[in-house]
Amino acid sequence: MQRILIWLLGLGILIFGIQRIRIALRTPEESLRVRIQGMADGFGEGHARTALKGIHEDYRDEASGVGRGDLFDAMRYLFFTQKHPETHAWNLDVDISEDSLTIVFSEDGTSAMVTMNPLFYQTDTAGRHLWWNCRATLEFVLEDGNWWCIRTTDVNHVDRPRI
């Protein structure tokens, strides 16, 4: 029994080590894409904290002046109000296709401008339909090995549904 536990512990350490090595070997572009996809996945799962995990504390949207706290409040409001009429499950999700994402890194590699076209969908009794065809430019900075969105510009807020 003790031998099995030692093997399982060793296997767990090996898996953890391999995962850490894979993360360390990612290119900056891969790391940024993983960060963006993680945020999109958090939104689709209805988890505000995961969706905002890559948003910097000093984040600002240039057009609206919205900060990170405001964004969290707006997302929390959505998470409580956007429910499927029958199942009462979270009914919004987002798709970010690889070809709708353009990343341009600064010369020193510590910041990046990301132009993207995420498509937000809503699911209701009629099925899944486009809710917002978003277009935005995001500025990311690299701090302590993590990419953080510090600013958004050129967001088509006028096309966003009002709730």
Side-chain angles (χ1 to χ4, degrees), residues 79-109:
F79 291 151
F80 284 114
T81 60
Q82 291 300 304
K83 303 289 182 180
H84 189 279
E86 293 173 351
T87 65
H88 304 291
W90 170 242
N91 72 344
L92 294 177
D93 66 280
V94 61
D95 287 338
I96 304 172
S97 68
E98 289 289 321
D99 55 336
S100 76
L101 192 67
T102 305
I103 302 172
V104 178
F105 291 94
S106 64
E107 285 188 27
D108 64 0

Side-chain angles (χ1 to χ4, degrees), residues 1 14-15 24 48-49 61 74 76 103 120 132-133 147 149 154:
M1 183 67 167
L14 180 65
I15 290 170
R49 291 193 193 285
D61 176 71
R76 189 170 43 190
I103 302 172
F120 290 84
W132 181 26
N133 183 355
W147 286 103
C149 180
D154 305 321

Side-chain angles (χ1 to χ4, degrees), residues 3-163:
R3 200 178 258 178
I4 292 172
L5 289 175
I6 290 172
W7 275 100
L8 288 175
L9 179 62
L11 182 63
I13 291 170
L14 180 65
I15 290 170
F16 178 77
I18 290 171
Q19 181 183 14
R20 298 307 299 170
I21 290 169
R22 285 182 53 221
I23 290 170
L25 293 177
R26 283 184 188 149
T27 66
E29 182 171 348
E30 288 171 332
S31 294
L32 187 50
R33 287 180 183 272
V34 166
R35 174 67 111 181
I36 291 168
Q37 188 58 52
M39 294 166 61
D41 292 345
F43 182 86
E45 294 164 3
H47 300 293
R49 291 193 193 285
T50 306
L52 296 176
K53 189 173 185 176
I55 303 294
H56 196 278
E57 289 178 12
D58 298 329
Y59 165 82
R60 280 280 172 245
D61 176 71
E62 280 192 359
S64 65
V66 165
R68 186 179 196 282
D70 302 320
L71 193 57
F72 181 77
D73 290 343
M75 291 183 73
R76 189 170 43 190
Y77 174 79
L78 281 176
F79 291 151
F80 284 114
T81 60
Q82 291 300 304
K83 303 289 182 180
H84 189 279
E86 293 173 351
T87 65
H88 304 291
W90 170 242
N91 72 344
L92 294 177
D93 66 280
V94 61
D95 287 338
I96 304 172
S97 68
E98 289 289 321
D99 55 336
S100 76
L101 192 67
T102 305
I103 302 172
V104 178
F105 291 94
S106 64
E107 285 188 27
D108 64 0
T110 61
S111 65
M113 296 301 288
V114 177
T115 304
M116 60 192 309
N117 181 213
L119 301 175
F120 290 84
Y121 291 93
Q122 183 178 44
T123 304
D124 56 23
T125 54
R128 184 176 188 242
H129 55 89
L130 185 64
W131 186 69
W132 181 26
N133 183 355
C134 178
R135 290 176 307 284
T137 302
L138 300 84
E139 181 180 350
F140 281 83
V141 294
L142 183 61
E143 287 184 4
D144 300 324
N146 290 312
W147 286 103
W148 299 94
C149 180
I150 191 128
R151 181 172 63 109
T152 49
T153 60
D154 305 321
V155 180
N156 60 333
H157 289 295
V158 295
D159 298 335
R160 188 181 67 244
R162 302 293 176 228
I163 298 175

